[in-house]
Amino acid sequence: MANIPIWTGTSTFTAGQTPFGFYDLDFDFSTDADKVATFVTRRLGYPLMDVELQDINIYAAFEEAVTTYGNELYAYKVRENYLYTEGNSTSTTANNKLISPHMGATVRISQQYGEEAGVGGNVKFHTGSIDLTTGQQYYNLDDFASQENVDDYDLEIKRVYYESPPAVTRFFDPYAGSGTGMINMLDQFGFGQFSPAINFLLMPVSFDMQRIQAIEFNDQVRKSQYSFNIVGNELQIFPIPDGSVSKLFLTYIKKSDRNNPYISPDGEGVITDVSKVPYENPQYALINSIGRKWIFDYCLAICKEMLGYIRGKYQVVPIPNADTTLNHSDLITAATAEKTALIERLRAYFEETSREKLLERKNLEADAINKDLGYSPYVIYIG
Amino acid sequence: MALFGRDRDISLFRSINTELLRDVITQQCAYYKFRLDETKVNIYGESSGVKYYNDPVLMNCLINRSDQEFTTSDFGVDHNQNVEFYFYKPFLEEEKLVCEPGDIIQYYEDYFEVHDIVENQLFVGKDPSFPYNVNPWNPGLEDFGQTTSIICKTFYVPADKVQITLERG
């Protein structure tokens, strides 16, 4: 018949007695392990009452408590700084590193707006052309897609280069000119000051702008202006080609390029999700007394829960000519509540030290100091 | 093979019973084992002359006492009391003690003679002494179950009738 020993009142921790061995070689951990065993068993009633646990159960709980502490701590750090760590290399551990905010992620996630405006982003803009036929106003974009080797549903036209020549090229058009432009032209060429017969007249830029606008308005009102219209897969252009232009250039994107959310860098060595932020288990020796006290309490709660499950495997324990019910339900209820309370307390504590909260507090402090200083009488300088 | 009631669980029960009976409740009695081989018997199998017992063994157990009864007859007033002693069997095994009718149990100043033995408290209904190992479908049953208790039903025996004295063996 097996005779399984229970807690004897003393223990001697040696490396290898914890399930994972994360902290076995940490001197502080190995020193505290036996103290924690004494603390836990005494809190559970030993030596007045037996505690049906072994030292290795308590060591396992101790290791779990430290790991849980580190897990909560680093999960908080990951949440706090993920914007600044995403996309970086996983090769460097994040433990014991100061993390400085930067604009990289903000720029990256706002590139989509520039992308739609055609001034940035990750979507490539392609160019292509359509051969214009004299007198043909409608052109099938499906044909253009096949010509460009793009699926027709994947094509999105971003720009049609079917425009009138810039008005500035007709700045000195006799039709639109007033004569004063000649002076400006000679001046532009640097001949103005060499001509004794020319008067120099400084004109504001608004004069040039109004002149250009006058030319454009003239074309719009009095001529068939260059324009286009896309409905479905048909491109309609104005005016009807008269043979003076042989090609129509287009800029387009592939929708699949835009819909593709995956960008570089990628791969196993890049932080692409919170599970890859390179935090390792904490170094027990570096955890301060506040953290260690939390670990001891959490270890006690785990042991209490463990003892509850041990005592509760059988609802009643046989004793001579009777049965007895142990306190397993009390233990489990208390342990569950304590674990939850400890976790919530720790999370609240971490949240209070978040960058957001610290800045808020600093702001409140500054306001309060400012207000406080306001109660001091102002010095009156008499000059 | 069974799943519940393995010797590892039984070991836990033993720890709990040990704590409960020896440290918490702590009811005790002295058990005098009757030595049948030393005792001379007559042709009817009754003892003739003195009875011999082993040295007493101090046992922790649960004790269920009925009230004392005093009956009056032509011979005077008689005193009766029935007491049941609930022993945790592993304790008896530690002392290599087998309870049988005729044994004497001393409880405080009184002596009680065992007249009935009940052994019928099997955890998960199994007695590991009977594993039925020839049964190929359920091997290893010697590691499961437990006979938890031995109940000794006794009656009061006057001390002058028992007259237990220390004898040099």
Side-chain angles (χ1 to χ4, degrees):
Chain A
M1 180 65 72
N3 185 17
I4 314 299
I6 59 173
W7 175 249
T8 58
T10 57
S11 65
T12 306
F13 178 79
T14 53
Q17 287 188 297
T18 56
F20 297 100
F22 290 147
Y23 319 102
D24 286 7
L25 300 179
D26 188 314
F27 177 76
D28 284 23
F29 181 86
S30 59
T31 306
D32 278 357
D34 290 320
K35 294 175 184 172
V36 165
T38 302
F39 162 72
V40 164
T41 50
R42 287 187 185 174
R43 289 280 276 102
L44 290 172
Y46 190 87
L48 291 177
M49 303 292 288
D50 278 345
V51 175
E52 291 83 17
L53 293 174
Q54 294 183 348
D55 52 359
I56 56 172
N57 298 122
I58 301 166
Y59 299 152
F62 186 35
E63 183 184 55
E64 182 185 338
V66 177
T67 306
T68 303
Y69 181 81
N71 186 22
E72 289 294 327
L73 174 65
Y74 294 139
Y76 153 74
K77 292 291 285 180
V78 168
R79 285 196 302 274
E80 175 85 349
N81 295 304
Y82 189 66
L83 206 57
Y84 314 118
T85 53
E86 190 179 40
N88 287 296
S89 169
T90 60
S91 60
T92 307
T93 178
N95 290 50
N96 306 321
K97 294 273 171 52
L98 274 177
I99 296 178
S100 174
H102 55 74
M103 292 295 289
T106 309
V107 170
R108 174 162 49 80
I109 61 180
S110 58
Q111 279 178 334
Q112 53 187 319
Y113 304 106
E115 185 177 287
E116 280 305 299
V119 289
N122 301 299
V123 178
K124 183 177 180 182
F125 275 56
H126 304 270
T127 57
S129 63
I130 295 174
D131 291 332
L132 295 179
T133 306
T134 304
Q136 183 180 337
Q137 190 177 15
Y138 290 92
Y139 294 88
N140 192 324
L141 289 174
D142 289 347
D143 295 339
F144 174 69
S146 350
Q147 172 194 312
E148 294 292 315
N149 229 0
V150 180
D151 292 327
D152 52 351
Y153 57 80
D154 202 19
L155 183 76
E156 182 173 306
I157 301 294
K158 300 301 283 188
R159 187 167 179 186
V160 178
Y161 293 92
Y162 194 63
E163 299 167 352
S164 59
V168 73
T169 61
R170 290 150 60 209
F171 193 82
F172 306 108
D173 190 315
Y175 180 77
S178 63
T180 53
M182 294 299 289
I183 300 169
N184 197 2
M185 182 189 71
L186 290 172
D187 196 32
Q188 289 288 312
F189 281 104
F191 303 148
Q193 64 226 51
F194 298 110
S195 172
I198 291 175
N199 294 320
F200 292 92
L201 179 64
L202 180 65
M203 291 182 289
V205 176
S206 60
F207 175 85
D208 294 357
M209 297 303 297
Q210 285 176 326
R211 186 173 177 81
I212 288 170
Q213 279 189 333
I215 295 169
E216 288 175 348
F217 275 137
N218 173 68
D219 289 350
Q220 284 178 5
V221 174
R222 295 176 177 147
K223 295 181 180 178
S224 174
Q225 177 59 302
Y226 285 82
S227 179
F228 68 91
N229 189 26
I230 296 175
V231 177
N233 62 348
E234 271 199 331
L235 170 66
Q236 183 184 14
I237 55 175
F238 305 91
I240 299 170
D242 58 1
S244 60
V245 179
S246 59
K247 279 191 183 296
L248 175 66
F249 290 93
L250 304 168
T251 301
Y252 67 91
I253 63 166
K254 295 176 184 175
K255 292 178 187 172
S256 56
D257 285 350
R258 183 175 56 194
N259 296 341
N260 179 18
Y262 305 114
I263 60 168
S264 295
D266 57 6
E268 293 179 358
V270 177
I271 298 171
T272 53
D273 56 73
V274 292
S275 73
K276 291 171 74 178
V277 181
Y279 278 108
E280 298 169 356
N281 285 313
Q283 198 173 338
Y284 182 79
L286 298 180
I287 298 174
N288 61 12
S289 64
I290 301 168
R292 289 192 191 188
K293 178 65 173 70
W294 187 93
I295 288 168
F296 300 157
D297 288 344
Y298 198 74
C299 178
L300 172 62
I302 296 171
C303 289
K304 199 176 283 186
E305 183 184 55
M306 207 183 314
L307 188 61
Y309 284 126
I310 289 168
R311 290 181 179 173
K313 179 179 178 181
Y314 298 98
Q315 292 297 307
V316 290
V317 173
I319 62 172
N321 200 42
D323 293 316
T324 185
T325 303
L326 303 181
N327 60 343
H328 63 274
S329 59
D330 291 344
L331 286 169
I332 292 173
T333 304
T336 306
E338 285 169 17
K339 283 173 71 178
T340 305
L342 282 165
I343 291 287
E344 286 175 354
R345 193 182 83 188
L346 189 65
R347 287 180 183 169
Y349 172 55
F350 289 153
E351 285 302 323
E352 283 299 310
T353 60
S354 68
R355 199 173 286 116
E356 176 190 0
K357 293 286 183 186
L358 291 176
L359 290 174
E360 274 179 17
R361 189 175 303 127
K362 187 182 175 190
N363 196 27
L364 287 173
E365 279 180 11
D367 286 348
I369 290 170
N370 200 25
K371 189 177 176 185
D372 197 29
L373 290 173
Y375 292 126
S376 302
Y378 291 106
V379 177
I380 300 172
Y381 293 95
I382 302 172
Chain B
M1 191 181 72
L3 290 175
F4 279 70
R6 198 183 178 86
D7 54 359
R8 190 173 284 272
D9 297 339
I10 303 302
S11 177
L12 173 69
F13 296 161
R14 188 160 56 242
S15 298
I16 292 169
N17 272 279
T18 301
E19 182 184 14
L20 190 68
L21 296 176
R22 289 182 175 163
D23 299 335
V24 179
I25 298 175
T26 326
Q27 284 185 314
Q28 292 179 318
C29 66
Y31 198 99
Y32 289 85
K33 176 64 190 168
F34 178 55
R35 295 178 61 176
L36 183 62
D37 53 336
E38 299 274 343
T39 304
K40 295 177 180 174
V41 295
N42 59 24
I43 58 172
Y44 304 108
E46 299 167 337
S47 64
S48 62
V50 295
K51 293 181 182 177
Y52 289 90
Y53 299 90
N54 285 341
D55 288 340
V57 178
L58 191 63
M59 297 295 299
N60 288 86
C61 60
L62 297 177
I63 299 170
N64 181 20
R65 307 174 310 276
S66 64
D67 291 342
Q68 292 93 338
E69 295 175 356
F70 300 95
T71 55
T72 306
S73 65
D74 295 341
F75 301 103
V77 178
D78 197 11
H79 169 233
N80 293 311
Q81 185 180 19
N82 294 325
V83 178
E84 291 180 343
F85 295 88
Y86 306 139
F87 293 103
Y88 186 53
K89 191 177 179 187
F91 290 175
L92 296 173
E93 290 170 345
E94 286 174 14
E95 300 295 340
K96 296 183 171 52
L97 199 60
V98 178
C99 298
E100 291 174 301
D103 296 342
I104 296 293
I105 299 173
Q106 183 181 3
Y107 177 51
Y108 293 145
E109 291 297 318
D110 297 328
Y111 293 92
F112 298 88
E113 184 174 328
V114 177
H115 64 84
D116 276 325
I117 304 290
V118 177
E119 182 177 357
N120 194 32
Q121 189 182 3
L122 303 180
F123 181 66
V124 292
K126 295 187 188 69
D127 184 346
S129 303
F130 298 91
Y132 300 108
N133 269 339
V134 293
N135 184 345
W137 292 288
N138 292 297
L141 287 181
E142 65 272 15
D143 294 331
F144 290 85
Q146 181 192 39
T147 299
T148 304
S149 65
I150 301 288
I151 301 172
C152 293
K153 297 183 178 181
T154 66
F155 59 88
Y156 172 78
V157 184
D160 59 338
K161 189 175 177 184
V162 179
Q163 289 188 347
I164 290 180
T165 57
L166 184 62
E167 296 291 330
R168 194 174 300 281

